[in-house]
Amino acid sequence: MAETINRGGAVDALVDDLLALSRVLVGLTARTLAALDTDVTLPQYRMLVVLAGRGPQRPVDLATELGLHPSTITRTSDRLVRRDLVQRHHAEHDRRTIRLGLTDAGKELIGEVMRRRAAELRELIEPYGPDLDLPRAVRAVVSATGEPSEAEWWRRWSESARLGSA
């Protein structure tokens, strides 16, 4: 797999950098959620983000958007309703139609996570100055967090199932 990723060229290098950045952002999000002591998992957070960005959704539409089975959406939304982060709305024209939307607490949680993530990213990028171009910015964030390059990640991945090596 690593051989197909690392072909060389500007596009492939940017793809590699973006993949490494995606790992940084997932880690940053997980740390932020943990720091807020929210008891919200990353998949639950992703659902909240979609609801924040797209507004109330029918569960079936949310399942399609997230690439999940509708029953998974039902279980996840049940948990988020119990935490008062999501609420169910019944359509006025058809009481059988349910839409899921954020509560004020859900909206505030998403806002706080986004603000904290932006502050941490700003802190990582500011030392490089205002003229930092996008590819360099991506590499700077990845490097500043200690995340391995894409090539190094794939090397580590290929060795990750070997027992007794450390």
Side-chain angles (χ1 to χ4, degrees), residues 37-51:
D37 197 26
T38 62
D39 197 27
V40 171
T41 65
L42 285 172
Q44 291 168 346
Y45 176 75
R46 178 67 184 130
M47 183 174 165
L48 295 171
V49 168
V50 169
L51 291 172

Side-chain angles (χ1 to χ4, degrees), residues 28 113-126:
L28 200 155
V113 171
M114 293 296 192
R115 284 187 290 275
R116 287 180 182 214
R117 287 176 61 204
E120 195 165 336
L121 285 170
R122 214 174 273 107
E123 196 173 297
L124 291 169
I125 292 171
E126 280 179 345

